[in-house]
Amino acid sequence: MTTISCRYDGGLRCAAEHEPSGSLISTDAPVDNAGKGERFSPTDLIATSLATCLLTVMGIVAERHGWSLEGASARVQKTMSSEPPRRIAALEVWLTLPASLEERQRRVLRRAAEGCPVKASLEGAIAMTMHWECSALHRAGPALAHGIGGGRCSSGGGHAEEDGGLQQQQGDPQG
């Protein structure tokens, strides 16, 4: 069990301490909800938790197999509901894996990401979409290259698959 202690500091800001490590973070209400938007909002942290959890779970698997996942990244876009109650309506994540990974390695890492505890906790409550991309550093030519194969990014048509309430997109440059 992990304990996190939180304190309201006034001005719609809070401080939180991760007790095991002593790490500190602070939050601010977003501009569209009476805050200054100068720090992560509490709902930003949920979006951040999803993206970092996906990367961390893949990192665990990559390290176990001796694969390099360095340079992998995730970008998450959070959409708030336009109708009350105020809540996160959708999270969209773009995951970029190093182009040096082989097709089999990508499949293993993608399956591992499906086991992310944050994703499992949010399923059914928030619409989530994942887009899988190749590293921009390893793309050949001007076209966006997505997909997997032979350690190189391959371009191709997009496809989406529904899996456990999480829509996954591959090869969708429009996002």
Side-chain angles (χ1 to χ4, degrees), residues 9 96 118 124 153 166 168 173:
D9 289 337
T96 304
V118 173
C153 298
L166 180 73
Q168 300 179 346

Side-chain angles (χ1 to χ4, degrees), residues 80-130:
M80 296 299 290
S81 63
S82 57
E83 301 291 323
R86 186 171 174 83
R87 61 183 287 284
I88 300 170
L91 294 171
E92 193 165 4
V93 184
W94 287 262
L95 290 142
T96 304
L97 298 177
S100 60
L101 292 171
E102 297 174 3
E103 181 176 350
R104 179 186 65 79
Q105 294 169 319
R106 291 175 178 277
R107 280 194 308 260
V108 168
L109 293 170
R110 186 170 171 166
R111 275 194 306 272
E114 288 301 313
C116 160
V118 173
K119 176 187 163 292
S121 298
L122 298 176
E123 274 181 335
I126 298 173
M128 294 178 274
T129 305
M130 291 172 57

Side-chain angles (χ1 to χ4, degrees), residues 48-85:
T48 303
S49 293
L50 175 61
T52 58
C53 186
L54 292 164
L55 289 169
T56 300
V57 168
M58 288 190 296
I60 291 167
V61 171
E63 285 188 12
R64 187 179 305 141
H65 286 90
W67 304 335
S68 175
L69 196 63
E70 288 181 25
S73 64
R75 180 173 57 90
V76 62
Q77 183 174 10
K78 175 191 75 173
T79 303
M80 296 299 290
S81 63
S82 57
E83 301 291 323

